[in-house]
Amino acid sequence: LKLQFLYLIGLGGRCASVGRMVLSWARHWRAVSAPRGDVVRNKHTAVAHEGRMIVFGGHDLTENTYLQDLMVYTFASGTWAEVLPGSFAEQGFRPCPRRAHSAGVVGDYMVVFGGFSGESCLNDLYALNLKTMEWVGIAAAPGSPRPCPRGGQSCAVVDGAMYIFGGWDTSLVYHNDIWRLSCDFATRTYTWAAVEPKNPHAIPSGRVGHQAVAYGRCVIVFGGYGDGMYKNDVQMFNLDTLEWTQLAVDRSSPCPCARTYHSMLVSDSGRLLVIGGGDDENMLDDAWVLDLATRRWRQVPAGRGRPEGRFAHTAVADQRKVYILGGPASKEGNFIEFTAEDWDADPSLAHIMRRYVAASMPCLVAQLGDELPPRIVADYRAYAAHVSHDAERWDALFSPCAAPATPKPDRTPGRNVMPTPQHTPESQMF
């Protein structure tokens, strides 16, 4: 079986369609013009809404200043526009400059919470109407508690409620609490509620710079830094049972190293995509996918034009593309478009062959005739006829062969040295 498989993929130039199959699995990175091209930012926020990416605030690494600008990128046209302060209807409700805050889309509003102003941590709340692009006033409901001031927390929106977890404050406390925010935009009020897990022994350790995504009725958290340690654990909080669970990932395959201030997305099919991040000495240029069903990590092949490492950037997805903004060591690669055609699909080689060989087989038969092994043709015909066991037969045929190895980059994998002098971890957290 293994020899027959090698014969199939070793046909060389006589089967261009199989060659294209392999190329379609590669990842392609492309630098895109950044907003205010002279600004390299990090620790900002970016959200996607109705074909646009909305970017707010962050730290201008070029001028070493904090930002309160509002930039909008339209995916279809590939153009940026800045929402100028003069266009805000309610000037008094514009957030102050900040970084390491959190933002989530609740209905047609972007809700911004907390962060670091340069002098202190914040626990204020602002809402941006994404239809009118105006900041609107929103006040706490009477008697509503609120989280303590913090920065570097994670944020996820589930069923119209925004959940924040963790973060860090200027008293050097790493938080591990979780809060639920409910907004009533009709009355312009909001209510915070502390969420009490039912299994307190399983609450993850306090951390900052981690990332969270919503998947179903769960919030999934990966990585971060806290108590002197960088982390690469995967934690899940079930909003129905109110219980934390640390996912036991498959350790027989490689796993991403511990990191903080990476970006993370999740697909509808249950696959996490983690990009970059780092620690106090290194920026990472790698990307990883975790299949939540099999709990197995795999590293995304480097692909063409992979950019330098980055830290405290953002990533949003639109259809089959991922847009990564900020966090690099230089202006080159400040805004990257990442074509990730199959990051949310089954990566197994058996699946790829089942998906593509059916389309390629007529070309193979026409070009090779009797040279094609009869067993391959028989299995193809069984597959094409939708025989009930066709998938199992193809899995059996290709399972002895491992997935394509990750191409070796032309530099140390996953590492770029920070251009700035070494800092303590605490100096990087805000």
Side-chain angles (χ1 to χ4, degrees), residues 295-329:
R295 299 188 180 181
R296 174 172 292 185
W297 286 101
R298 61 182 173 87
Q299 188 168 6
V300 177
R304 296 198 295 267
R306 184 182 64 180
E308 61 186 315
R310 59 195 58 236
F311 175 89
H313 54 285
T314 54
V316 301
D318 177 64
Q319 297 181 5
R320 310 301 287 179
K321 293 183 179 180
V322 175
Y323 295 85
I324 304 165
L325 176 65

Side-chain angles (χ1 to χ4, degrees), residues 271-295:
R271 289 174 172 85
L272 297 179
L273 173 64
V274 173
I275 301 173
D279 52 34
D280 58 315
E281 296 183 15
N282 301 288
M283 290 183 178
L284 300 170
D285 61 0
D286 54 357
W288 293 80
V289 171
L290 174 65
D291 188 319
L292 294 174
T294 64
R295 299 188 180 181

Side-chain angles (χ1 to χ4, degrees), residues 8 10 53 55 69 145 148 157 168 194 196 208 213 222-223 239 259 269 286 312 321 326 331 358 375 414 428:
L8 176 62
M53 178 173 69
V55 178
D69 58 343
C148 66
V157 177
W168 199 66
E196 299 294 337
V208 64
V213 294
F222 170 74
L239 296 172
R259 64 192 65 204
S269 59
D286 54 357
K321 293 183 179 180
K331 294 181 181 179
R375 173 64 183 280
Q428 294 290 318

Side-chain angles (χ1 to χ4, degrees), residues 58 81 101 108 113 123 137 145 168 202 255 257 338-339 342 382 428:
H101 50 285
D108 289 325
F113 167 75
N123 66 345
W168 199 66
C255 299
C257 64
F338 173 36
T339 302
D342 287 319
Q428 294 290 318

Side-chain angles (χ1 to χ4, degrees), residues 39 80 100 269 325 340 343 396 413:
V39 175
W80 284 98
S269 59
L325 176 65
W343 71 269

Side-chain angles (χ1 to χ4, degrees), residues 43-78:
K43 296 177 182 165
H44 52 285
T45 53
V47 300
H49 181 262
E50 295 185 350
R52 301 177 300 169
M53 178 173 69
I54 298 91
V55 178
F56 170 70
H59 182 205
D60 181 346
L61 299 176
T62 306
E63 300 294 335
N64 193 28
T65 58
Y66 287 22
L67 302 170
Q68 62 178 151
D69 58 343
L70 191 63
M71 305 295 300
V72 178
Y73 180 77
T74 302
F75 299 123
S77 62

Side-chain angles (χ1 to χ4, degrees), residues 142-336:
S144 172
R146 68 173 60 188
C148 66
R150 67 188 67 197
Q153 65 277 356
S154 63
C155 166
V157 177
V158 180
D159 294 339
M162 190 168 85
Y163 295 82
I164 68 163
F165 169 71
W168 199 66
D169 60 36
T170 52
S171 62
L172 306 185
V173 174
Y174 296 94
H175 298 287
N176 65 347
D177 51 349
I178 185 167
W179 287 77
R180 181 180 64 251
L181 173 69
S182 302
C183 295
D184 185 343
F185 295 108
T187 61
R188 293 192 177 184
T189 59
Y190 65 85
T191 304
W192 283 105
V195 180
E196 299 294 337
K198 292 185 177 180
N199 56 341
H201 62 282
I203 298 176
S205 59
R207 62 193 66 199
V208 64
H210 52 289
Q211 293 296 318
V213 294
Y215 183 64
R217 289 281 299 163
C218 295
V219 175
I220 299 175
V221 175
F222 170 74
Y225 174 87
D227 300 324
M229 295 179 59
Y230 292 91
K231 305 175 187 296
N232 66 346
D233 54 336
V234 183
Q235 304 281 349
M236 182 174 69
F237 186 69
N238 188 309
L239 296 172
D240 293 326
T241 64
L242 301 182
E243 292 182 338
W244 281 103
T245 303
Q246 180 171 346
L247 299 188
V249 300
D250 184 351
R251 294 293 177 179
S252 65
S253 58
C255 299
C257 64
R259 64 192 65 204
T260 188
Y261 282 111
H262 46 282
S263 60
M264 186 167 74
L265 300 169
V266 65
S267 71
D268 292 339
S269 59
R271 289 174 172 85
L272 297 179
L273 173 64
V274 173
I275 301 173
D279 52 34
D280 58 315
E281 296 183 15
N282 301 288
M283 290 183 178
L284 300 170
D285 61 0
D286 54 357
W288 293 80
V289 171
L290 174 65
D291 188 319
L292 294 174
T294 64
R295 299 188 180 181
R296 174 172 292 185
W297 286 101
R298 61 182 173 87
Q299 188 168 6
V300 177
R304 296 198 295 267
R306 184 182 64 180
E308 61 186 315
R310 59 195 58 236
F311 175 89
H313 54 285
T314 54
V316 301
D318 177 64
Q319 297 181 5
R320 310 301 287 179
K321 293 183 179 180
V322 175
Y323 295 85
I324 304 165
L325 176 65
S330 63
K331 294 181 181 179
E332 291 73 24
N334 188 23
F335 185 40
I336 297 294

